[in-house]
Amino acid sequence: MLIAGFPAGAWGTNCYLVAPAAGEECVIIDPGHQAAQGVEDAVRKHRLKPVAVVLTHGHIDHVASVVPVCGAHDVPAWIHPEDRFMMSDPERALGRSIGQQLMGELTVGEPDDVKELSDGAVLDLAGMEFSVAHTPGHTKGSVTFGMPEQADVPPVFFSGDLLFAGSIGRTDLPGGDHAEILKSLARVCLPLEDSTVVLSGHGTQTTIGRERATNPFLREVAAGLGDGFSPAPRRGM
């Protein structure tokens, strides 16, 4: 399996291109702020053919390049229905103070073809399976994408802004809910195998085993003590 990832834009949002191998079809995950050129560079380098864009949530730092990327390759974008409005109205998703700063520099809107994600769905894209889990807390429509173990490749978990190396997503923006994100961590992350590779929306690669042992949020949730836990330093939006 080929996973080509790079941080893009002002918020260093990780965009990923996933394919069975070089020279094959691929899926693009979270083409955010200033990600379009990086996507095209990776497509050329690995001789890929994009077939879909999938989005972990609707914040502008994860979706700002959806329209040009989908348009360039004539592919659909997949997003949870509760976050779909954010593609056209990012100011409402971020709050007025942040949103107004961005409106002058970004062109927003939906691509021509938008498909909606649901909890428990399995997407068969580019010959690969992506299992969808609805993980509210960072936003109401946040999702994660899981890929099963393949040959010598361990399971892969695209966590978006649910889980980071050493931290979790912020919950102080509109639609955020700290109690909900803790529930999502418990329901979706704790059952995963320790060997699962975590590729998040910001920051470095990690594993579930490492986070289970060191991430204060995951440790507290596992111990059943998460309700009163305060956020650690946050990344992204």
Side-chain angles (χ1 to χ4, degrees), residues 22-47:
E24 298 196 26
E25 294 181 337
C26 75
V27 174
I28 301 165
I29 301 176
D30 287 356
H33 184 231
Q34 298 178 346
Q37 187 58 55
V39 168
E40 296 311 309
D41 291 345
V43 166
R44 283 195 298 271
K45 177 180 179 180
H46 300 289
R47 299 172 284 109

Side-chain angles (χ1 to χ4, degrees), residues 172-220:
D172 59 333
L173 294 173
D177 186 313
H178 188 65
E180 281 294 326
I181 205 170
L182 295 179
K183 291 177 183 176
S184 293
L185 289 167
R187 180 175 67 88
V188 176
C189 295
L190 287 183
L192 297 175
E193 298 176 15
D194 283 350
S195 62
T196 302
V197 175
V198 179
L199 299 176
S200 62
H202 302 271
T204 59
Q205 174 178 316
T206 185
T207 65
I208 287 294
R210 185 179 302 146
E211 297 312 298
R212 201 189 308 276
T214 64
N215 187 307
F217 292 93
L218 215 54
R219 292 181 65 182
E220 292 295 321

Side-chain angles (χ1 to χ4, degrees), residues 2 5 9 13 16 35 41 43 52 63 95 140 142 145 147 155 200 218 226:
L2 169 70
T13 304
Y16 301 100
D41 291 345
V43 166
V63 308
K140 290 185 180 299
S142 289
F145 301 104
M147 300 184 72
S200 62
L218 215 54

Side-chain angles (χ1 to χ4, degrees), residues 28-97:
I28 301 165
I29 301 176
D30 287 356
H33 184 231
Q34 298 178 346
Q37 187 58 55
V39 168
E40 296 311 309
D41 291 345
V43 166
R44 283 195 298 271
K45 177 180 179 180
H46 300 289
R47 299 172 284 109
L48 300 173
K49 176 179 172 49
V51 297
V53 168
V54 297
L55 303 168
T56 60
H57 63 289
H59 281 159
I60 197 69
D61 61 324
H62 290 252
V63 308
S65 295
V66 168
V67 170
V69 168
C70 287
H73 299 282
D74 192 25
V75 299
W78 293 77
I79 192 167
H80 192 276
E82 292 206 61
D83 274 14
R84 181 171 177 170
F85 76 93
M86 297 185 189
M87 291 192 286
S88 300
D89 191 1
E91 183 175 339
R92 184 157 64 98
L94 298 175
R96 194 170 184 82
S97 61

Side-chain angles (χ1 to χ4, degrees), residues 90-183:
E91 183 175 339
R92 184 157 64 98
L94 298 175
R96 194 170 184 82
S97 61
I98 297 176
Q100 283 188 324
Q101 298 174 34
L102 299 175
M103 292 305 97
E105 63 177 273
L106 297 175
T107 300
V108 299
E110 291 191 355
D112 291 338
D113 187 1
V114 178
K115 301 181 185 298
E116 295 188 345
L117 299 166
S118 60
D119 186 46
V122 177
L123 304 182
D124 186 356
L125 300 169
M128 303 174 291
E129 286 191 356
F130 297 82
S131 58
V132 181
H134 183 209
T135 54
H138 180 62
T139 67
K140 290 185 180 299
S142 289
V143 302
T144 59
F145 301 104
M147 300 184 72
E149 182 176 0
Q150 304 174 41
D152 295 329
V153 179
V156 177
F157 181 61
F158 294 96
S159 64
D161 286 6
L162 170 65
L163 178 69
F164 302 130
S167 189
I168 62 173
R170 64 190 295 175
T171 58
D172 59 333
L173 294 173
D177 186 313
H178 188 65
E180 281 294 326
I181 205 170
L182 295 179
K183 291 177 183 176

